[in-house]
């Protein structure tokens, strides 16, 4: 099938492909990397992208640079660079504005030199601990923290993928890429103004959800714990816990088994149940009926006050709830790249493969009431898990979950910490002196980090976000097709028609708004890839410098402040903060307008027409 056989102009076909692609991005039924790959293959079959050039994007300098930065970011985490900073953040005190200043300011600085999602992920547990220690609602801290990670990415070439894409696009047109700190004059001012706005005004626009302090957690586990006793006639008598689950056909987690005053965590109990055993577990009314009907387990009755058969001491002992301390319960949030997404606990075999028991799931700040076996996990879900204290961290890392509580700060090894910083600094110097291109300098730094043991090789590969790499590599040829087919020129001419009677600054504002809106419904890298050719056509139409138009796209593509789906950072705080979809624009819209009002004058000053 070709363009000629369809009788349609190439530009029309490009618009059809992009329209379907954007619709699929917004729908969200399929992951964005699959959508991008489908768009690429469709473009090839329609003759929009030459088959021989279809997969050249996987070797594009922008893609290689993004992959290298992801590896270096994980190396920072592993060596303890960020944990040293986080350790100091925890000393900030109880004043909310000071907490916001330190948290958001720290994530802004970190996001300039590492992946912004990684920077947010490292400070998210710190923010949760601050909220709990000072009885503050996490919702007042987490959205500002997420937005701060986006602002910080504006400050350097490697801060965010759109900057890398725009730099490479400029190199293709002019032969000269943007440098490491070409984005800093504009990005640093925008980030600083955004930080001041968030700390002084913005946090007041965020919803104040129920505080999740230590005594009032999202799951409030003690309120859901029940004790069930194994009687002589119980079908459970003589069964192992696994056989009990098989009988129930349900993944009701047994947190502990109490036998003769000896309590053993459920995941460590491998024997058979006996008469008199007490099972401590999480269950609602439906589960309790199931346990009674199928295996004969019943709730322990409260002793009568005038019971003569028992001593006062024994009666008090019976009434006393089983201590939950030491059960290794931990909260974790599902990341966008987690293997849990769209899968159920049965499919994942959490207990058998990872040694974890799922106790409860919260979504949008509320605990889900449906049966655990029926839940398909989503990005941003908060899970309450039980597992071995020694193994739970590794299991969560493998699953792609971020621990929110009980995360002990690991200050790393000083030698590796200094090595990690030194390698990064040398790479930056090589870029500044034009000794090496960004892709080569960053890749060399990543390789050296792996060779000297700053980061194990396995973790290096895990750090590379496969879906983002596929998205970039697939959308690069599609973005070029938008330009070569004349589609970008058509859009630019339409904007020129409306903008000829107005100053160029008005067209820059229109370009900013269009790119910003696009970034709130699709990945920011995809937004930059699609808007860069349009920006170049606009600059050519006005016969002015290309740089201010590309800079507008670079900034606006990273301004995904309006929705939780616009950027991974926004999605990551959705569950822990208890936010709803419509909460984001309340802070995001004013912040977007502030950013636009600062960005355009700054760009015209630093990068004149």
């Amino acid at each position: 099938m070709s363009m000629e056989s369809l009788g349609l102009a190439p530009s029309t076909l490009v618009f059809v492909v992009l329209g379907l692609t954007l619709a699929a991005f917004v729908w969200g039924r399929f992951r964005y990397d699959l959508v991008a790959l489908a768009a690429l293959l469709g473009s090839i079959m329609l003759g929009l992208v030459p088959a021989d050039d279809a997969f050249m994007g996987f070797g594009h300098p922008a893609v290689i640079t993004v992959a290298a930065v992801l590896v270096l970011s994980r190396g920072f985490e592993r060596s303890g660079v960020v944990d040293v900073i986080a350790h100091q953040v925890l000393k900030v005190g109880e004043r909310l504005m000071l907490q916001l200043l330190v948290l958001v300011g720290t994530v802004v600085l970190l996001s300039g030199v590492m992946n912004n999602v990684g920077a947010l992920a490292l400070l998210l547990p710190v923010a949760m601990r601050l909220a709990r220690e000072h009885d503050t609602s996490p919702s007042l801290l987490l959205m500002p923290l997420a937005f701060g990670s986006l602002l910080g990415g504006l400050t350097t070439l490697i801060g965010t993928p759109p900057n890398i894409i725009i730099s490479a696009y400029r190199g293709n047109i002019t032969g000269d890429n943007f440098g490491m700190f070409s984005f800093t004059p504009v990005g640093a001012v925008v980030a600083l103004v955004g930080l001041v706005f968030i700390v002084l005004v913005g946090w007041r626009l965020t919803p104040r959800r129920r505080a999740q302090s230590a005594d009032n957690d999202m799951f409030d586990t003690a309120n859901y714990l029940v004790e069930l006793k194994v009687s002589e006639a119980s079908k459970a008598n003589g069964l192992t816990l696994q056989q009990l689950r098989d009988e129930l056909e349900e993944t009701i987690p047994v947190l502990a088994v109490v036998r003769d005053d000896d309590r053993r965590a459920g995941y460590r109990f491998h024997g058979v149940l006996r008469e008199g055993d007490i099972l401590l577990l999480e269950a609602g009314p439906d589960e309790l009926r199931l346990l009674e009907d199928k295996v004969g387990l019943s709730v322990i009755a409260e002793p009568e006050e005038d019971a003569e058969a028992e001593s006062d001491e024994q009666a008090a002992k019976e009434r006393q709830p089983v201590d939950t301390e030491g059960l290794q319960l931990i909260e974790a949030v599902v990341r966008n790249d987690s293997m849990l997404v769209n899968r159920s606990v049965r499919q994942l075999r959490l207990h058998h493969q990872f040694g974890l028991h799922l106790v409860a799931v919260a979504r949008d700040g509320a605990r889900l009431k449906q049966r655990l076996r029926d839940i398909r996990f989503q990005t941003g879900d908060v899970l309450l898990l039980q597992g071995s204290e020694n193994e739970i961290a590794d299991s969560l890392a493998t699953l792609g979950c971020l621990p929110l509580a009980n995360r002990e700060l690991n200050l790393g090894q000083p030698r590796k910490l200094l090595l990690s910083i030194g390698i990064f600094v040398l790479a930056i110097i090589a870029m500044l002196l034009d000794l090496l291109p960004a892709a080569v300098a960053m890749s060399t730094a990543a390789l050296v980090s792996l060779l000297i043991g700053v980061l194990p090789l396995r973790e290096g590969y895990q750090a590379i976000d496969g879906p983002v790499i596929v998205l970039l590599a697939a959308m690069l040829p599609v973005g070029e097709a938008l330009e070569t087919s004349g589609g970008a020129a058509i859009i630019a001419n339409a904007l020129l028609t409306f903008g000829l009677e107005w100053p160029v600054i008005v067209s820059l504002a229109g370009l900013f708004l269009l790119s910003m809106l696009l970034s709130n419904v699709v990945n920011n890298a995809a937004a930059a890839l699609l808007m860069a050719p349009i920006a170049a056509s606009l600059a050519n139409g006005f016969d002015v410098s290309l740089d201010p138009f590309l800079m507008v796209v670079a900034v606006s593509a990273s301004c995904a402040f309006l929705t939780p789906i616009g950027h991974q950072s926004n999605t990551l705080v959705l569950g822990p903060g208890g936010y709803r979809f419509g909460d984001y624009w309340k802070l995001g819209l004013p912040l977007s307008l502030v950013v636009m009002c600062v960005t355009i004058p700054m760009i015209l000053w630093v990068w004149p027409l």
Side-chain angles (χ1 to χ4, degrees), residues 136-139 208-213 216-220 365-367 576-577:
T136 304
S137 172
S139 63
R208 187 184 294 268
R209 301 286 185 238
R210 177 176 58 87
Q212 297 168 14
S213 63
N216 188 22
D217 274 348
M218 180 185 299
F219 298 110
D220 201 7
R367 177 182 167 133

Side-chain angles (χ1 to χ4, degrees), residues 154-173:
L154 302 173
T155 57
T156 66
L157 170 68
I158 63 172
T160 184
N163 289 1
I164 297 171
I165 292 165
I166 293 300
S167 174
Y169 185 82
R170 183 181 189 259
N172 290 339
I173 294 179

